[in-house]
Amino acid sequence: SGYISIMRGCNNFCHYCVVPYTRGRERSRDIQSILNETSDLVAKGFKEIILLGQNVNSYGNDLECGISFPQLLRRLNEIDGDFIIRFMSSHPKDATKELLDAIIECEKVAKHLHLPVQSGSDEILSAMNRRYTAEKYLETVEYLRAYDKDFSFTTDIIVGFPNESAEDFEK
């Protein structure tokens, strides 16, 4: 497995997270450097390329070239070689249809998504400043499961968030 950091920092300011304060705002790497590094790793025999970022889904939002994360996945998918592409971490608010379609359509992108849910309670998600709802999260899962019932998901869950009720916890 080869790991490639495609961006640093975060712009989300979730209420429990220090990343925007410690690592700063989002800064995406130049696409050509990512393509070159991936090609180099594949040429060296790496079979799995894992793209890393605090929120990989927002890759490119700060670049003037207008490249998006789904477009990056499509470009990486065109690299010759026998390898698979994975990435983490994703933010549910940025799990767009364009991204989901890229995952589905790119044969080298793993049919897996690490998608932190954090909570099933919209009240708690709002208190966390997560900017998505449980319904939006489930729509994302359902969209990918409609494509492939065996699509793989991993997640993160926070329990015991301040003011979380027993009902919030059960959700």
Side-chain angles (χ1 to χ4, degrees):
S1 296
Y3 296 86
I4 300 175
S5 179
I6 65 168
M7 64 182 304
R8 299 205 185 283
C10 184
N11 292 350
N12 289 311
F13 294 91
C14 300
H15 289 157
Y16 54 83
C17 185
V18 300
V19 170
Y21 304 101
T22 58
R23 295 187 186 159
R25 304 288 279 190
E26 293 173 350
R27 296 172 315 283
S28 301
R29 280 181 59 194
D30 170 72
I31 185 172
Q32 194 58 51
S33 69
I34 297 168
L35 295 171
N36 292 345
E37 188 173 349
T38 302
S39 294
D40 184 53
L41 290 174
V42 170
K44 290 177 180 173
F46 285 79
K47 297 295 183 190
E48 180 179 59
I49 304 298
I50 302 172
L51 307 175
L52 302 173
Q54 188 65 32
N55 178 18
V56 293
N57 299 10
S58 63
Y59 169 84
N61 288 348
D62 61 325
L63 297 176
E64 291 183 18
C65 66
I67 187 98
S68 67
F69 184 60
Q71 292 167 330
L72 173 64
L73 290 177
R74 291 183 187 283
R75 294 280 302 274
L76 292 169
N77 190 66
E78 295 172 0
I79 295 173
D80 287 332
D82 179 26
F83 67 100
I84 193 162
I85 302 163
R86 295 185 188 278
F87 56 88
M88 63 184 314
S89 282
S90 297
H91 195 298
K93 77 174 183 55
D94 298 318
T96 63
K97 186 175 180 309
E98 180 188 12
L99 172 61
L100 305 181
D101 288 344
I103 295 168
I104 290 167
E105 294 166 5
C106 293
E107 66 274 0
K108 293 178 182 173
V109 175
K111 303 313 176 232
H112 165 261
L113 183 60
H114 181 80
L115 195 64
V117 67
Q118 309 301 24
S119 176
S121 164
D122 289 344
E123 256 185 64
I124 297 300
L125 288 170
S126 178
M128 291 177 173
N129 195 35
R130 290 296 285 169
R131 296 186 303 233
Y132 63 90
T133 63
E135 181 181 5
K136 157 69 164 108
Y137 186 93
L138 291 173
E139 286 172 1
T140 300
V141 171
E142 290 167 7
Y143 186 83
L144 292 169
R145 283 274 164 84
Y147 159 74
D148 179 353
K149 67 178 180 56
D150 294 323
F151 195 95
S152 173
F153 294 92
T154 52
T155 194
D156 302 331
I157 299 170
I158 294 176
V159 296
F161 193 77
N163 297 321
E164 180 182 64
S165 68
E167 183 181 345
D168 292 322
F169 175 83
E170 289 302 318
K171 290 178 181 177

